Every structure is written in C-alpha cells, then in structure tokens.
C-alpha cells in the first residue's frame, strides 16, 4: 500500500493535555504517527507531527474538523497540511529597506517552483518594487519598524503561504511565527555562519581581521542564526577594506544565496535531518558553496594520503615542567 502523509502543527500557550488530546484523536481515526517533535519557547508551545494517513478511517475534511474542535477546546491553533494536495506552493517575501535580494528574486521568479503571492514589510520603502512586479505589498510596521505579527500571520494564511523568504528582513521573528512555519522559513545572513551571528556581521568580520568573509542561507529557528545551513558563498576581504567595501562585495552574494536556498527548498532537493541539511538533488544544478573556478584554484598538493588521521599515533601529553 502506498503511504499518504499529513503534517500537523499545533501552536499555542504551553499547557497540559495538548499532546494527549491530539495523539488520541489521531489514534482513534486509524492514523499512525511516524514522527513527533515538541518545543517550548517564551511560553509558546509547538508540536509538529508527521503521520501516515493511508489507513485513516475518516475523510480529510472530517480530520480537520475534529482537530479544529480540539484546538478550540484547548485554546491553541492546529494546522493540517496534506502535501499530496498541494499544486502550486505560495511564497511570501519579508523585507525591511534593503532592495537587492527582493529585486533579484522577483527578476528570477519564473525559476522558482512557487508563486510569489505577497510581500510584507515592516517599512513601506520597497512598496514601489512590489507594485512594479504586480505583487501585493503590505506594511505591517509602526513608525519605528516594529512589526504587527498578528497581522503578518493573517496575511500568511490569507495568501495560503507555504514558504517564507526573509529578504534582509531586519527583525527577529517570534516563536509564534517560527513555530507555525518551522522548516519553511529561509533567511540569508551576511557571514559564514556559525561565525559572526547576530547584528552587524560585516563589522564583526572586520573587527576579527578575517581575510575571507561570506554569506549563509539557512533555515530559521528560534535560536538566532543557528538554523540548519543550506548554502554559502565566500569572498575576499582586502587589507584596507571597510564596512562599506564589505557590504558592496556581500550584497550581490546575499541575493544569490537567498535565491539558491529558496530554489533548493522549493524543489524538494534538501531535507533537514537531526538538525543538518541533507542534499538529495543533482549537484550539477546548484551551487552550494564555492564556484567551480574557486574549487579548481584550491591547492591539491601535498596531500598525506598514506595515513588516515584517525589511525595516527596518539599525541603523548607534555610532561615537561
């Protein structure tokens, strides 16, 4: 029998009984839970279930209605997705004021296996770019740029968004948002993570005196800039470089890496397993790291191929006074 799957996400205030109620409801309907993951951050509970529904004894609509009833009783939100039902996936882009990744993605939108359905900003500066590409734009920020995340969630649901790209969105998403779209939010960070996470990574790189800098496309988790890494690019740092020089070198690369990371995800050519991205696509179709030219320029000798490092003699401790 061919397996069919559902992905069920539960998000709400942390309280007892959520796991028991949801899993019991699935068991009663002949649904086999194959994977379950739970977390609590800042008082927000999240549970994600992957379930085999091939022997389910109710309709998909009845399952949704039953879980909606449980959600109402518990005061949580329950989302049920059936991947086999999805035809065209919806992509949302979140922005602040930097235009380079947004413009790059919009210009290459036909290469993505998704529809860019909405652009959401915490400022209105980039609304003209969205209008020029005929994509709805919403400003959900206050004068200081603080976003209204309740409005954000409403828009993501209204436009049936499956994947979110953070196109230099300069705000940290709360667990309330991340938990609802975990594994489907992709960010670009201007450093070679795990080096220089957080604010002002280009300044951090200069302060550390690095000779090579870069950018990273990664999945967003509730731990800042620590999500599974998808793709990276590197560039040289001249000895006399300042922050403006690094931004000028890094911004075109940021746009490329975010686009490539989204393309990999939307093509289902990557999967996260135990906190690490596993690649399962055709390596000739993507650039995950260095260009072929850069790889060819790497030294290839001398190489100690006669001795496996793991088989080397252990280093004796230094007993000198």
């Amino acid at each position: 029998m061919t397996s069919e799957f559902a992905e069920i996400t539960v998000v709400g205030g942390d309280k007892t009984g959520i796991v028991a109620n949801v899993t019991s409801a699935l068991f009663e309907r002949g649904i086999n839970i194959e994977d379950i993951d739970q977390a609590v951050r800042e008082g927000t509970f999240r549970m994600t279930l992957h379930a085999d529904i091939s022997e389910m004894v109710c309709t998909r609509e009845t399952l949704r209605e039953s879980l909606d009833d449980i959600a109402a009783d518990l005061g949580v939100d329950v989302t049920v997705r059936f991947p086999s039902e999805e035809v065209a996936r919806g992509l949302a882009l979140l922005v602040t004021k930097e235009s380079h990744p947004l413009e790059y993605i919009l210009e290459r939108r036909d290469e993505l296996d998704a529809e860019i359905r909405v652009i959401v900003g915490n400022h209105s500066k980039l609304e003209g770019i969205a209008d020029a590409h005929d994509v709805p734009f919403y400003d959900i920020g206050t004068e200081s740029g603080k976003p209204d995340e309740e409005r954000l969630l409403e828009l993501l649901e209204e436009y049936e968004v499956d994947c979110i790209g953070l196109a230099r969105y300069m705000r940290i998403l709360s667990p309330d948002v991340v938990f609802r779209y975990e594994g489907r939010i992709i960010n670009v960070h201007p450093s070679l993570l795990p080096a220089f996470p957080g604010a002002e990574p280009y300044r951090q790189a200069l302060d550390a005196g690095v000779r090579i800098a870069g950018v990273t496309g990664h999945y967003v988790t509730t731990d800042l800039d620590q999500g599974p890494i998808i793709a990276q690019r590197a560039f040289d740092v001249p000895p006399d470089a300042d922050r403006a020089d690094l931004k000028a070198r890094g911004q075109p690369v940021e746009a490329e890496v975010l686009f490539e990371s989204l393309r990999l995800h939307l093509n289902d050519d990557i999967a996260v397993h135990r906190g690490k991205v596993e690649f399962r696509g055709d390596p000739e179709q993507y650039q995950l790291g260095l260009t072929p030219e850069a790889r060819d320029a790497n030294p290839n000798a001398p190489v100690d191929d006669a001795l496996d490092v793991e088989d080397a003699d252990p280093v004796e401790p230094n007993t000198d006074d």
Side-chain angles (χ1 to χ4, degrees):
M1 178 181 294
T2 303
S3 295
E4 294 182 77
F5 293 94
E7 180 184 284
I8 301 166
T9 303
V10 182
V11 179
D14 187 26
K15 62 183 71 175
T16 59
I18 298 176
V19 177
N21 276 273
V22 174
T23 55
S24 295
L26 299 181
F27 174 76
E28 291 167 3
R29 289 158 179 80
I31 297 170
N32 182 44
I33 298 170
E34 297 205 343
D35 186 62
I36 182 171
D37 183 57
Q38 306 166 53
V40 178
R41 293 288 187 278
E42 300 174 17
T44 299
F45 171 85
R46 186 267 305 160
M47 176 173 68
T48 302
L49 289 159
H50 294 272
D52 183 349
I53 59 170
S54 55
E55 297 185 13
M56 183 170 64
V57 295
C58 67
T59 66
R60 295 183 178 193
E61 189 56 36
T62 298
L63 174 63
R64 282 195 170 106
E65 291 173 355
S66 300
L67 292 176
D68 284 344
D69 290 341
I70 292 173
D73 290 341
L74 295 173
V76 297
D77 292 332
V78 177
T79 303
V80 184
R81 297 173 63 239
F82 300 103
S84 61
E85 288 183 352
E86 297 173 2
V87 180
R89 281 182 283 189
L91 173 64
L93 297 174
L94 272 55
V95 300
T96 295
K97 294 182 178 180
E98 296 185 35
S99 64
H100 56 285
L102 175 64
E103 291 181 294
Y104 188 89
I105 292 170
L106 288 171
E107 288 167 3
R108 298 185 62 182
R109 63 198 291 184
D110 291 343
E111 300 175 47
L112 295 174
D113 188 17
E115 299 173 350
I116 300 178
R117 293 183 179 162
V118 65
I119 298 169
V120 183
N122 63 318
H123 292 280
S124 62
K125 181 178 179 180
L126 304 184
E127 185 172 3
I129 296 173
D131 291 344
H133 289 270
D134 198 28
V135 180
F137 181 93
Y138 295 86
D139 175 10
I140 61 166
T142 63
E143 285 189 12
S144 66
K146 182 179 179 180
D148 180 349
E149 287 199 340
E150 287 188 14
R151 179 59 176 148
L152 172 61
L153 289 171
E154 289 174 359
L155 290 167
L156 296 176
E157 183 175 358
E158 177 183 344
Y159 284 93
E160 298 181 342
V161 167
D162 303 290
C163 177
I164 302 168
L166 305 187
R168 299 299 285 135
Y169 180 66
M170 306 303 289
R171 289 283 176 170
I172 297 173
L173 294 172
S174 73
D176 203 33
V177 176
V178 174
F179 281 165
R180 284 172 165 79
Y181 292 89
E182 192 156 14
R184 295 182 284 150
I185 308 175
I186 295 172
N187 182 44
V188 61
H189 183 75
S191 81
L192 292 172
L193 292 173
F196 314 130
E200 299 191 54
Y202 288 137
R203 179 193 56 76
Q204 292 185 61
L206 287 171
D207 290 348
V210 300
R211 301 303 180 208
I212 298 290
V215 306
T216 302
H218 66 96
Y219 284 106
V220 173
T221 66
T222 52
D223 297 313
L224 181 64
D225 296 331
Q226 295 182 46
I229 291 171
I230 302 171
Q232 294 183 302
R233 300 279 194 283
F235 56 86
D236 198 44
V237 180
D240 59 349
D242 59 19
R243 187 169 175 269
D245 295 328
L246 257 64
K247 287 191 71 173
R249 286 171 176 251
Q251 284 186 343
V253 189
E254 293 169 17
E256 290 182 6
V257 168
L258 179 58
F259 176 84
E260 193 77 326
S261 299
L262 288 169
R263 194 164 71 97
L264 279 156
H265 172 84
L266 293 167
N267 287 349
D268 294 321
D269 279 337
I270 53 175
V272 178
H273 180 65
R274 295 184 178 178
K276 180 181 177 181
V277 171
E278 294 185 351
F279 181 66
R280 57 192 183 194
D282 180 357
E284 299 300 320
Q285 294 184 6
Y286 303 100
Q287 183 187 334
L288 299 178
L290 295 176
T291 64
E293 294 79 12
R295 290 197 299 270
D296 290 342
N298 283 336
N300 57 14
V303 175
D304 188 356
D305 57 2
L307 178 66
D308 189 322
V309 173
E310 293 182 356
D311 295 332
D313 293 335
V315 176
E316 293 294 333
N318 187 350
T319 58
D320 293 341
D321 293 334

